[in-house]
Structure formats: structure tokens, C-alpha cells
Amino acid sequence: GATPNAAIASEIALIGDSPFLKKIREHSRTIIDLVREFSLNDDEESFHKTLDQEVSKKLFTKKIPEQDDIVDVLMKELQYPQKKRPSIHLCVHILELAQSNNQSVRDLKEFLIAAISVSVFWNPMLEKRIHRQVVDEVASYLYVVARIIAASVQSKTKNEYWQKCISGNGAGLSLSMTEQLFRLLFNRKPLDHERMELQYLLGLTITNGPGTLSAKGAKESVSARNHISTAYVGFLANTGLAHGGNGFEAVEYLLDQFKDSTLDDPGVAQKDLDLAALANRAAKAYGKYKQEAKEQGELGYKRIPCVNHPVFKGNEVNVDPREDFVRKELEIRQITNLFLDFYHTLVRELFNEGVTQNVFCVNVDAVLAVIALKLVWQDLQDQKVDTKHVQDLVFTLFLIGRAIGVTAEIADHRVRGIDMDCRTPQKDVSFVM
């Protein structure tokens, strides 16, 4: 009975500051310190004897670690000749030095992950676009986001792609995050336009502007001096059926509106499907419901999900710029989504029928719902999944996109914030509600 955010949070909370992450963080710090101390650069071919002695003392062990497919993949990643950053130069030298001494680097897998993480973020650190502390801790952020994705996979025993991923043979490691995510959540390879739709969906949910509940939850958790993983729990606890889970109701609403239609594929226009008539019927039905609710004194009557927004309102025709951007991008690429078309027809019919005083916006939550419903539509028709599966999926996709954005919030506050501080100076606070 838990909502997806609570179920995922329960798994993320158990990560804590795990020994695995601590070892990666320690290796990251050591790599950066060694590069800085010995002034290594791209052109340098020889290393000081002092460096070798330092490395041997700090990093080497006589115990040869068990080799596995993941270590092999990481080793190949480190050996790519085009990656000439000082950190890579150093780490390759360390591995070669260990081999020549018939030794191994202590905690080899953690060392390799640290080496790759540091190399990816090396230039932004040198250019002072990110703080050194972020580079020290970057693997922890990547790890937690990956665990959130893993915790989002439904029906794991039936999901063939998930089973391949956990087999330990490095399946999917060469894929982009979007491709990997699609296969994990939908258990199939995406078409090009489907991958693009998922990419837009994730991009939309990265941020929701200043003061958004989920970012606030993460920052307050950092201010309480929690571990990185716990700060993500703060974000997850600050999402729910109103913030993030609005797609629950949207999926239910759309399925109800289309239940008597002959919709085969929401990605293809159908001559026998009259969206205007469907939307007009829905607008009239809602107008009648709203009037009856008012007559009976029900002030808290149910609203149509994903229509209107507390910020984008007050104009003759209201627009959520995030939704508008995606809709135009889809049009340019000739990607059809009949559910989204229905929503835009509906807001105009609500106005035409006098139910609303202006044309409401179709908000960003609608994009989450319509894209997810479209991507899983065939499985739903074939009864491979049920309505709850789709509703959980919509909420989960919001959480994954927001987890990426919240990563920046957590990193920012860990570097620049202070304990018991939410970044609003006391002199700027006029009242507390």
C-alpha cells in the first residue's frame, strides 16, 4: 500500500554511508591529492620515485582480488588511449606499478570506480565550475541515483532485462542512461522516438523552480547533517500524490475517457476517433459534476488532473512553458500523442462550455502521464500490466528525473550550506507560516 516514493525511500535509507562508498571516496581523495602533490600533467611520462613509494605504502596489497566481469569492464574503460587526463595517467601508472611488483591495488573495484569518476569530472573541477568536494563525493551521487532506478523496477522476476543486469556480466554498461532506464522500466528495447520521449520526460522533471517541495526536503536533510543517501530520502519524503504523483489520477482519468474508444495506438492518428467530441463530452460531464457539487456545498470538489497550475494562470489562454516546449519538440519531430492532443482539446472545450473562465494550461504532470501511458499502452491492452502498474510508473519516472536535479541541490548545500541553515538569511524572513 506504500506510494512509490515511500517504497523507494525505504531502500535508499538503508544505504547510509556504506563501506563501499567510503572506500571509493577515500580513493578519489587520494588520486586528486597525488596529482596535485606531484604536479602531473598530460605531457609528463616519468614519475618520481617518491610517488611510487607513496603509492606502494598507501594503496598496494599482496592479496590478489578475485576478477569479475565488472572489473574487466572498468579496466578497459581506464585504458582508452584518448583519455589523457592527469588522473587517468596516474591511475594507469599505479595499476602497472602494482602488476610489476606482483601486487594489487587495495579495494580494486572501488579504486577503478574512483579513477573513472574523478577523470569524468576533472576538467569542471580545474575550471572551478564545481567544488573539489563534489568530485570527492561524485560516486556516491551516481550510486544513489542508480539505486533509485534499481528500486523503481517493477515485477523484477519477470523482467528479463533486469535479470541480465544483475547476472554480473556487465550487461548494458555501454548503453546511455536513457536507453538503460527504458529497458529496465519497460523490459524492451526502445524505438528511436520512444527513447527521445523518455529523454524529454526526464529533462522536464529535473527541476520545478525555487522553493519546490522535493528540493526543500533534500536541503533540509543536508542542513541536519545527514549522509548523502539520507538527503535523497528527504527529497523522496517530500514528494507525494500532489507533488510528483499527480499522474496517478491522470492515468485513471485518461483510461476512463478512452474506455469506450477503439484506440489502437496513441502514437497514430485515427479517423474513427473524434477527439473533439470526446473532449466536449468530458467537459460537459465535468461542468455538470461541478455545478452539482457547488449546489450541495462541496467546496473541495474533485478537479481534473493535470489541468491548470497555481503559477501559470490568469491569462485568456494559459500555458505551462515546460509542457509547451515538449509539445512543440514532438510536433517538429512528427511524434504524435493522442492523449496529449486530447488534453489540449479538453481545456478549450471546458472554456467553450463555460466551465472555466479562461483556457486553462495543460501542466507538466500531464506530459508525464501521457508519455508513460503511451509507452506502455500495448502492454496494457495485452493485459501484461494493470492500471496500478502504469500509475506507479508515472510517479516513478517523476522521481527519477527529480533525483537527478536534486543531486545538484544536495551537492550545492553540502559545499555552501551550513548546519541548521536553509539558506535564507534571518534578516530576509518577515514571517513564518
Side-chain angles (χ1 to χ4, degrees):
T3 50
N5 61 312
I8 294 169
S10 68
E11 294 197 34
I12 301 306
L14 293 174
I15 294 173
D17 190 26
S18 72
F20 177 69
L21 295 179
K22 287 177 77 172
K23 288 174 184 176
I24 296 173
R25 194 163 61 242
E26 288 165 5
H27 277 308
S28 297
R29 287 173 184 154
T30 299
I31 291 167
I32 296 172
D33 286 343
L34 288 172
V35 174
R36 292 181 64 179
E37 184 177 349
F38 293 94
S39 303
L40 305 173
N41 58 58
D42 293 355
D43 302 322
E44 190 169 353
E45 294 182 2
S46 61
F47 288 82
H48 304 294
K49 287 184 179 180
T50 316
L51 167 64
D52 290 354
Q53 291 170 359
E54 187 90 5
V55 165
S56 300
K57 184 172 62 177
K58 282 187 175 181
L59 296 179
F60 289 175
T61 176
K62 291 183 179 180
K63 182 180 178 183
I64 303 299
E66 292 183 15
Q67 295 293 309
D68 61 29
D69 292 332
I70 303 300
V71 167
D72 290 342
V73 170
L74 294 171
M75 288 285 263
K76 288 175 184 175
E77 180 70 19
L78 209 60
Q79 297 289 349
Y80 280 155
Q82 65 266 33
K83 296 185 178 175
K84 294 293 187 181
R85 294 190 184 97
S87 55
I88 291 288
H89 187 42
L90 170 70
C91 293
V92 170
H93 172 76
I94 289 171
L95 291 169
E96 290 172 348
L97 182 64
Q99 190 175 24
S100 66
N101 291 341
N102 291 320
Q103 291 181 302
S104 174
V105 176
R106 188 179 292 109
D107 305 314
L108 179 60
K109 188 182 295 186
E110 290 87 340
F111 172 79
L112 294 172
I113 293 171
I116 294 166
S117 300
V118 169
S119 73
V120 170
F121 291 87
W122 184 261
N123 285 344
M125 179 181 68
L126 288 190
E127 294 161 6
K128 299 189 185 301
R129 288 191 281 123
I130 57 175
H131 195 279
R132 178 197 163 147
Q133 183 181 337
V134 177
V135 186
D136 288 342
E137 299 174 343
V138 72
S140 297
Y141 295 118
L142 296 174
Y143 180 84
V144 177
V145 172
R147 296 309 308 159
I148 288 172
I149 293 171
S152 302
V153 179
Q154 300 185 53
S155 306
K156 291 184 176 179
T157 55
K158 298 178 183 178
N159 189 314
E160 294 175 7
Y161 190 70
W162 170 258
Q163 294 300 322
K164 285 181 182 178
C165 283
I166 63 171
S167 65
N169 63 4
L173 289 183
S174 61
L175 300 176
S176 70
M177 178 188 166
T178 312
E179 176 98 15
Q180 179 86 293
L181 177 61
F182 190 101
R183 294 188 184 199
L184 284 169
L185 296 185
F186 297 96
N187 193 23
R188 62 181 175 84
K189 185 178 178 180
L191 301 172
D192 287 344
H193 71 84
E194 290 178 322
R195 184 169 53 247
M196 187 173 294
E197 287 173 287
L198 180 61
Q199 190 172 321
Y200 282 135
L201 190 152
L202 292 174
L204 273 177
T205 52
I206 282 179
T207 183
N208 200 32
T212 185
L213 284 172
S214 46
K216 180 171 171 283
K219 288 203 168 204
E220 288 177 345
S221 186
V222 175
S223 291
R225 208 195 298 166
N226 279 308
H227 295 309
I228 287 172
S229 60
T230 312
Y232 282 92
V233 175
F235 126 68
L236 289 164
N238 266 32
T239 56
L241 295 176
H243 177 46
N246 204 226
F248 263 69
E249 296 172 339
V251 167
E252 188 176 23
Y253 180 76
L254 287 168
L255 290 176
D256 186 51
Q257 299 308 313
F258 283 84
K259 65 182 178 183
D260 296 324
S261 72
T262 56
L263 180 60
D264 295 322
D265 183 352
V268 179
Q270 290 183 208
K271 291 182 179 179
D272 60 342
L273 183 64
D274 190 341
L275 284 181
L278 203 64
N280 182 261
R281 186 182 68 190
K284 287 179 176 176
Y286 184 72
K288 182 181 178 183
Y289 159 75
K290 185 177 176 181
Q291 185 60 37
E292 290 175 353
K294 283 185 175 181
E295 289 173 357
Q296 294 172 15
E298 294 181 20
L299 298 177
Y301 57 85
K302 195 173 183 181
R303 288 166 171 75
I304 297 175
C306 302
V307 165
N308 207 8
H309 194 281
V311 175
F312 312 117
K313 63 178 183 178
N315 300 314
E316 289 184 15
V317 178
N318 296 280
V319 176
D320 183 331
R322 301 164 298 176
E323 183 278 332
D324 188 55
F325 169 80
V326 171
R327 189 172 187 231
K328 288 174 179 174
E329 287 289 309
L330 296 178
E331 285 177 357
I332 291 170
R333 288 163 175 74
Q334 298 182 319
I335 298 173
T336 301
N337 191 313
L338 295 180
F339 298 131
L340 189 56
D341 292 343
F342 167 78
Y343 255 121
H344 278 275
T345 310
L346 174 62
V347 291
R348 291 204 165 270
E349 288 302 316
L350 287 167
F351 173 71
N352 293 339
E353 292 296 326
V355 181
T356 60
Q357 294 180 351
N358 50 28
V359 178
F360 282 176
C361 74
V362 178
N363 68 38
V364 69
D365 288 331
V367 180
L368 290 170
V370 301
I371 290 180
L373 187 54
K374 177 189 173 186
L375 292 175
V376 81
W377 182 254
Q378 195 55 57
D379 284 345
L380 194 60
Q381 301 311 300
D382 295 341
Q383 297 185 334
K384 292 180 180 179
V385 296
D386 56 17
T387 302
K388 185 181 183 303
H389 179 104
V390 184
Q391 290 175 309
D392 286 346
L393 183 62
V394 174
F395 197 165
T396 296
L397 286 167
F398 171 87
L399 295 174
I400 292 169
R402 186 52 53 84
I404 299 167
V406 162
T407 298
E409 303 281 3
I410 296 170
D412 169 69
H413 205 69
R414 283 179 67 82
V415 170
R416 298 179 181 86
I418 59 175
D419 289 353
M420 307 297 288
D421 167 43
C422 292
R423 303 296 301 282
T424 303
Q426 188 174 341
K427 63 184 176 60
D428 294 339
V429 179
S430 54
F431 60 89
V432 177
M433 181 179 292

